[in-house]
Amino acid sequence: MSATWPQRFGHFLALCKLRVVALIVFTALVGMALSVPGMIPLDALLIGNLGIGLAAASAAAINHLLDARADRIMARTRNRPLPRGELDERQVLAFAIALAVASMVLLVAFINVLTAVLTFASLIGYAVIYTAYLKHATPQNIVIGGAAGAAPPILGWTAVTGEIHAHALILFLIVFVWTPPHFWALAIYRRHDYEAADVPMLPVTHGVEFTRLQILFYSIILVLVTLLPYLTGMSGAVYLAGSIVLNIGFMGYALAMLRPKSEQLAMQMFNYSVIYLMALFAFLLIDHYL
Ligand code: HEM
Ligand SMILES: CC(C)=CCC/C(C)=C/CC/C(C)=C/COP(=O)(O)OP(=O)(O)O
């Protein structure tokens, strides 16, 4: 029996990794906010974020396409539209291209070419370089690939000002350093999945204990990097206070993870990492407008 229209719509929506895209767009929005003293210009706010979101959704759809083989094997991903046969490869490719073209047209026509070029580079970075190559080549996959996911604050910044400011690079650095602990916490919990699918994630290639140490290492760097907005004068005391509270939680998880019996904790740390980034960027935003 063929799918109804609402069902089909749901399948295409599932390709977009909407919750990830939502957080990506939020970091872009904060990049926009911090780039100017007053309100974000309306074209950047509406069209800029839409263009960035469409590119991220397109990248996610291409990731589904290129990773269908591994997704079919892993318990976490085997219910995705391609492994379940709800969509075929041609439909996913057409959808991804349509989103990418829409994104580029919006960004070039209404924002600026620099933002369009950087957004396209992020799309290729995640959808092709990370998914098709790095992910299956090296356990440093997500460290390098993280650069694509960390780009949105820069994209937001350039969407408003047309240039890359050092403060935008600080925001990039925060997401870049946050990504390894974010992902490796989940990878520890899901390591048997990755092993079965032959994906060389760090807990598979170097073991859980080493991965926990790496999580701690990146968490310490993250604490230091999240001080930069305050130390450079980009943000004030409200941000500092918020980031300290969030960082105590992050370090708490990273240290608690060192205990041998921390299987469930890994998943809790992963969930916390998402709340952490959302809240940290919310503090940047609140601090900016206070
Ligand atoms: C190379 C970089 C990254 C990797 C490898 C990665 C990996 C993952 C994985 C495997 C999941 C689990 C999804 C699931 O359960 O189906 C996830 C969830 C999530 N990631 Fe990341 N991530 C990366 C970067 C980012 C970035 C840059 C953001 C946002 C700024 C982000 C936001 C999220 C959110 C919000 C979730 C929760 C999604 C949900 O609840 O469905 N991730 N990530
Ligand atoms: C602005 C722009 C174009 C940004 C693109 C960056 C982007 C969409 C990053 C998403 C990161 C992410 C969800 C990785 C999932 O890893 P995975 O693919 O290994 O996880 P999976 O096993 O769940 O597919």
Side-chain angles (χ1 to χ4, degrees), residues 129-141 198-200 205:
I129 300 175
Y130 166 76
T131 305
Y133 173 63
L134 288 170
K135 185 168 175 179
H136 303 275
T138 162
Q140 290 301 309
N141 44 18
D198 220 9
V199 182
T205 59

Side-chain angles (χ1 to χ4, degrees), residues 12-181:
F12 280 109
L13 223 51
L15 294 175
C16 300
K17 302 191 181 176
L18 276 188
R19 278 185 290 240
V20 180
V21 171
L23 188 52
I24 282 180
V25 169
F26 183 56
T27 63
L29 176 96
V30 173
M32 288 177 186
L34 267 58
S35 73
V36 279
M39 250 309 284
I40 302 170
L42 218 56
D43 53 351
L45 182 68
L46 301 178
I47 303 175
N49 280 316
L50 180 61
I52 294 165
L54 285 169
S58 169
I62 297 171
N63 171 268
H64 279 78
L65 184 66
L66 297 180
D67 246 359
R69 188 201 63 85
D71 284 354
R72 211 161 271 134
I73 297 168
M74 304 205 300
R76 180 174 62 81
T77 53
R78 73 170 59 117
N79 283 329
R80 289 180 171 176
L82 272 173
R84 279 177 67 93
E86 292 160 342
L87 294 172
D88 63 37
E89 293 184 346
R90 208 174 37 88
Q91 291 169 311
V92 176
L93 183 64
F95 179 65
I97 291 174
L99 294 185
V101 169
S103 160
M104 287 303 114
V105 168
L106 288 176
L107 293 178
V108 170
F110 298 103
I111 306 297
N112 53 55
V113 174
L114 176 65
T115 306
V117 169
L118 293 176
T119 302
F120 190 68
S122 310
L123 189 161
I124 298 295
Y126 169 63
V128 182
I129 300 175
Y130 166 76
T131 305
Y133 173 63
L134 288 170
K135 185 168 175 179
H136 303 275
T138 162
Q140 290 301 309
N141 44 18
I142 56 108
V143 178
I144 310 165
I154 299 182
L155 307 178
W157 200 292
T158 62
V160 174
T161 66
E163 50 193 55
I164 301 173
H165 190 281
H167 285 169
L169 297 179
I170 293 177
L171 301 181
F172 167 88
L173 208 56
I174 291 175
V175 184
F176 183 69
V177 174
W178 162 88
T179 300

